[in-house]
Amino acid sequence: MTTSMLRAGGAMLLGCALLLSPVTGAAQQAKVTLRTGILKVLPERLQPISRMDEAPEDLGFAGAERGRDDNATTGRFLGHAYETVEAKAKAEDAVAALDAMLAEGVRAFVVMADAETLLALADHAAEAAPEALIVNAQARDTRLRSADCRANVLHVAPSRAMLADGLAQYLMWKKWDAWMLVHGDAPGDVLMGEAYAAAGKKFGATIAETRVFEDTEGMRRSDSGHVLVQRQIPVFMQRSPEHDIVVVADENELFGAYLPYRTWEARPVAGDAGLRVRSWHPSHESFGATQLQRRFEKQAGRYMDDLDYQAWLSERVLGEAVTRTGSSDPAALKEYILSDAFEIAGFKGQALTFRPWNHQLRHGVLLADGRTVVTVSPQEEYLHQRTRLDTLGLDEPESDCDLN
C-alpha cells in the first residue's frame, strides 16, 4: 500500500470521526432533561392472608425505574436525559415531601397514594407550583375521574369502574349473569362493591344478593386459621339465592382469598379473588408483553405487579411526550399527552390514549386466575363509536368532569 493511499485512508477515518463526534457529544450532553419525582405514600395495611403476598420494599419504585431506563434508551439518540427523585412518606407528611421535591426544581410527579392524599397533593401543587403535573399511578377511586377531578392530574391507574366493567363484560360473554356480590366493610371494599353493582346494571347482570363480610381478624395467619375458615365461610355463604358466580370486593385482601373452594354452593369466584381483575399480571405474554416482563425481572429480580406496571406506564407516558415534543416543560407535555396525536404502547393489544374530559388513560383490563391470564377486556363484542376501550369506565356522558 502506498504512502498516498495510507494518507487518504487516514483522512477518511478522521472525516468519519469528525462526522460522528457531534452526535456523540449531543448524546453525552443532554439538550433536554426531565426530572420526575416518584412519591409513594405508605399505606397502613395488615399482614396479607398469605406469606406469598408480602409486598416487596421496592413495589412501584422498581416499575418507575424500569420506565425511566426505557425512556433513556430512546433519549440517548435524541439528546434527552431522564432522572428520578424518590421519596416515601406517611400520608400526613406527603405534602412536605412534595414541597421538598418542588424546592429541587421537580415539576413532574408520579404519585402512588390513596385518593384523599392525592387530592391534597394536587390542590397544594396547584397553589405552590401551578405548572406542576401529577400522574396518578395508584388511586382507583372513580370520583377522581368525575366530581373530584383536577386539571393538574393525569390518571394512569385504572378506576374501579374500569376494572368492574372489564370483569362484567367477560361474565356476560360467559352468560354468567346472576351474581352473588360479597364485599368487605372497609371503605374501599364498599366502593368496589358499588362499582361491581353498577357494572352489572350497565351490562345486564342481576345481583341475586349482596352480603357484607365483617372482618374480625380471627381467621388470619394463625396455626388454626384454615380450620376456622373451613367452618365459617360455608356458613356465611349458606342459604344464598340461585346464582352463577360469586363476585367479591376485598381490596385489602382480608377475606376474599378464603372464598374459592369454601362456598356453600359449588360456584366460581371472581373479582378480588379467584378470577382476579388486574391491570397487569406476571403471566401476561401477549402483544409483546414478554419483552417488558423480562426487562423488569432482570432489573428487579422479581415479577412485575400492578403498581409496578402503573408506575412504569406513568414514566413512559411522560417520556413519550418528551420524545415527541422535544421539551421537558410540564405545560407542553400535558398539552401533547391530552391531544389526539398522543398514543403509547401498553402491551394490551391497542394503543393507549387519554380521555381529555377527565384525564384518564384508556387501557385494557386483565382477568387472571393466578397462573395464567384468562382474557383481556374489553371483549370484542362490546363496541363504541370512538374506541372499544371507552366501554370500560366512565364514558364522557357518564362523568361529572369536563376538563376539555
Side-chain angles (χ1 to χ4, degrees), residues 21 54 64 77 154 159 194 208 218 288 310 326 340 345-346 375 380:
S21 60
E54 296 281 0
F77 296 98
L154 302 173
S159 67
E194 292 173 352
Q310 290 156 202
D340 292 337
T375 188
E380 293 181 0

Side-chain angles (χ1 to χ4, degrees), residues 4-308:
S4 60
M5 290 175 66
L6 288 170
R7 288 174 178 171
M12 290 177 64
L13 289 172
L14 177 61
C16 290
L18 291 172
L19 286 171
L20 288 172
S21 60
V23 177
T24 305
Q28 291 174 346
Q29 297 179 354
K31 296 177 290 185
V32 175
T33 300
L34 178 69
R35 299 186 74 211
T36 307
I38 313 298
L39 175 56
K40 183 177 182 179
V41 176
L42 301 174
E44 294 182 5
R45 300 190 66 178
L46 296 171
Q47 270 191 320
I49 290 174
S50 170
R51 62 185 300 271
M52 295 179 66
D53 294 329
E54 296 281 0
E57 288 293 323
D58 62 350
L59 182 63
F61 288 113
E65 181 182 359
R66 182 66 262 163
R68 180 201 63 200
D69 291 351
D70 285 351
N71 289 338
T73 299
T74 301
R76 279 193 291 271
F77 296 98
L78 301 173
H80 300 166
Y82 298 89
E83 301 174 359
T84 54
V85 180
E86 298 181 354
K88 293 181 181 180
K90 294 181 179 180
E92 59 267 26
D93 301 323
V95 170
L98 181 75
D99 278 338
M101 292 185 182
L102 288 172
E104 294 185 38
V106 178
R107 291 297 182 269
F109 298 89
V110 174
V111 174
M112 296 171 276
D114 60 273
E116 288 301 328
T117 306
L118 180 73
L119 288 173
L121 292 169
D123 292 342
H124 180 77
E127 293 289 333
E131 72 278 17
L133 183 60
I134 293 175
V135 184
N136 169 27
Q138 177 175 326
R140 307 195 299 183
D141 298 56
T142 302
R143 65 187 175 95
L144 298 176
R145 290 84 168 166
S146 191
D148 287 335
C149 63
R150 297 293 189 270
N152 60 347
V153 178
L154 302 173
H155 301 285
V156 165
S159 67
R160 289 189 178 95
M162 292 170 66
L163 298 170
D165 287 351
L167 176 63
Q169 286 187 9
Y170 178 68
L171 297 186
M172 295 305 292
W173 180 82
K174 288 290 293 177
K175 303 189 185 307
W176 294 342
D177 55 3
W179 302 355
M180 177 76 176
L181 179 58
V182 179
H183 65 77
D185 55 1
D189 297 347
V190 174
L191 291 173
M192 194 67 227
E194 292 173 352
Y196 284 132
K201 181 178 180 180
K202 180 177 179 179
F203 293 102
T206 300
I207 307 298
E209 186 182 342
T210 299
R211 293 187 181 179
V212 179
F213 187 93
E214 297 180 359
D215 179 51
T216 62
E217 301 183 30
M219 298 187 299
R220 305 180 60 79
R221 300 278 290 272
S222 64
D223 292 340
S224 60
H226 69 281
V227 177
L228 291 172
V229 169
Q230 189 167 322
R231 293 179 181 277
Q232 292 181 15
I233 290 294
V235 174
F236 173 74
M237 295 298 293
Q238 197 175 7
R239 292 185 295 276
S240 57
E242 184 59 33
H243 57 281
D244 299 315
I245 190 166
V246 177
V247 176
V248 57
D250 175 32
E251 290 193 346
N252 292 321
E253 300 180 347
L254 299 177
F255 69 94
Y258 293 135
L259 285 172
Y261 312 109
R262 297 184 178 97
T263 56
W264 188 267
E265 303 287 346
R267 296 292 183 271
V269 176
D272 287 326
L275 183 63
R276 299 284 301 275
V277 186
R278 307 283 297 267
S279 67
W280 193 251
H281 193 268
S283 70
H284 182 48
E285 296 184 280
S286 303
F287 317 118
T290 304
Q291 301 172 29
L292 174 59
Q293 302 276 27
R294 288 176 175 168
R295 290 200 306 274
F296 179 85
E297 290 159 13
K298 182 178 180 180
Q299 179 170 303
R302 60 175 178 81
Y303 292 129
M304 186 178 233
D305 206 342
D306 300 60
L307 190 58
D308 292 309

Side-chain angles (χ1 to χ4, degrees), residues 320-367:
E320 181 68 14
V322 171
T323 297
R324 299 301 178 180
T325 62
S327 171
S328 60
D329 175 60
L333 300 183
K334 177 184 173 183
E335 181 180 3
Y336 177 74
I337 287 168
L338 296 173
S339 73
D340 292 337
F342 177 84
E343 62 178 37
I344 192 167
F347 302 102
K348 291 185 177 180
Q350 300 182 61
L352 310 186
T353 60
F354 276 86
R355 296 169 179 159
W357 62 87
N358 65 0
H359 297 182
Q360 171 67 57
L361 181 68
R362 304 173 171 102
H363 52 105
V365 172
L366 277 58
L367 305 181

